[in-house]
């Protein structure tokens, strides 16, 4: 039996009259990278190294979400609110990881999460945090790795899902049929230890 791999990304939504929120999203995808790349790039006519929601036109977004919806993959999204200055985005990220990783491992049977890499120092801090979660028995076997966004199109899926959430909340788009399929978990950052 092959291992289940989740692919993840983050998004911070602060513009457009929404409650400032830190999102961490993942999708469980065992499909081949080339196939996913080909399908997602069909949403744009431009030559791009990666599909990134904030760089896409409205028509590209409208083409992208049905492609992702047709893949019928499990999506797990953690929404941490409010990002109001009392909690840093890095703290919100750690709280999202603290909920996301056990959810992936215990509820979905995922053995590896690949996150889009950020700065090396930030990725290193994430790995230290993951080791701490393992030592505190939040997770047991789940492995976390990082990859540049352009290197694997499966990372683009979470970016697109998080972008769709943000646009829908700001009333820019109606992606309700897709958003209903997401396993959304909420964290209140004011009530965390």
């Amino acid at each position: 039996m092959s291992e289940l791999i989740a692919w993840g990304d983050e998004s911070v939504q602060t513009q457009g009259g929404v409650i400032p929120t830190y999102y961490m999203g993942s999708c469980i995808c065992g499909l081949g990278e080339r196939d996913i790349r080909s399908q997602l790039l069909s949403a744009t006519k431009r030559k791009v190294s990666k599909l990134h929601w904030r760089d896409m036109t409205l028509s590209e977004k409208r083409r992208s979400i049905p492609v992702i919806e047709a893949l019928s993959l499990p999506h797990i999204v953690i929404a941490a609110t409010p990002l109001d200055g009392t909690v840093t985005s890095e703290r919100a990220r750690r709280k999202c990881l603290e909920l996301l990783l056990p959810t992936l491992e215990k509820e979905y049977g995922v053995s590896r999460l690949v996150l889009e890499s950020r700065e090396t120092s930030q990725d290193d801090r994430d790995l230290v945090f993951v080791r701490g979660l393992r030592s505190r028995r939040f997770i047991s076997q789940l492995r976390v790795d990082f990859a540049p966004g352009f290197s694997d199109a499966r990372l683009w899926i979470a970016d697109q899902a998080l972008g769709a959430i943000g646009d829908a909340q700001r009333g820019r788009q109606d992606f309700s049929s897709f958003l209903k399929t997401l396993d959304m978990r909420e964290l209140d950052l004011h009530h965390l230890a």
Side-chain angles (χ1 to χ4, degrees):
M1 185 170 118
S2 63
E3 69 175 343
L4 279 181
I5 302 174
W7 305 84
D9 198 8
E10 65 170 348
S11 177
V12 178
Q13 304 280 340
T14 58
Q15 306 292 314
V18 298
I19 296 170
T21 305
Y22 187 99
Y23 290 97
M24 183 164 281
S26 66
C27 75
I28 301 167
C29 179
L31 302 172
E33 196 277 339
R34 276 194 188 151
D35 184 41
I36 294 296
R37 182 176 294 269
S38 170
Q39 288 188 55
L40 291 179
L41 285 177
S42 73
T44 182
K45 292 175 176 44
R46 298 177 292 132
K47 185 154 178 65
V48 294
S49 62
K50 78 173 195 173
L51 216 53
H52 197 273
W53 190 263
R54 75 169 174 241
D55 299 330
M56 294 168 65
T57 67
L58 194 56
S59 60
E60 288 171 336
K61 292 175 181 181
R62 287 182 181 146
R63 288 191 297 267
S64 169
I65 293 304
V67 169
I68 290 171
E69 195 170 6
L71 295 172
S72 298
L73 301 171
H75 296 265
I76 302 90
V77 177
I78 311 298
T81 59
L83 271 182
D84 59 5
T86 61
V87 178
T88 66
S89 60
E90 285 301 306
R91 172 109 169 107
R93 180 182 179 86
R94 286 191 289 280
K95 296 314 279 184
C96 286
L97 284 169
E98 191 175 271
L99 178 56
L100 178 63
L101 297 183
T103 300
L104 289 173
E105 183 177 68
K106 295 173 180 158
E107 294 181 35
Y108 288 90
V110 169
S111 56
R112 181 176 171 224
L113 170 63
V114 181
L115 291 169
E116 183 167 352
S117 60
R118 304 184 297 157
E119 299 290 324
T120 302
S121 61
Q122 293 173 313
D123 292 349
D124 290 345
R125 281 195 303 271
D126 280 349
L127 290 175
V128 167
F129 183 71
V130 169
R131 283 194 295 273
L133 291 178
R134 192 170 290 112
S135 71
R136 293 181 356 234
R137 304 203 189 293
F138 276 72
I139 55 173
S140 57
Q141 301 296 318
L142 182 71
R143 205 170 76 241
V144 175
D145 297 309
F146 300 91
F150 63 83
S151 70
D152 198 307
R154 293 169 290 194
L155 289 166
W156 307 349
I157 300 170
D159 169 81
Q160 298 295 290
L162 296 176
I165 291 168
D167 276 11
Q169 288 185 335
R170 289 189 294 276
R172 293 184 182 161
Q173 293 289 310
D174 178 13
F175 297 116
S176 54
S177 69
F178 171 65
L179 298 181
K180 285 180 201 166
T181 69
L182 307 180
D183 178 352
M184 289 281 294
R185 314 274 174 117
E186 295 185 7
L187 281 172
D188 183 342
L189 293 171
H190 283 166
H191 294 96
L192 297 175

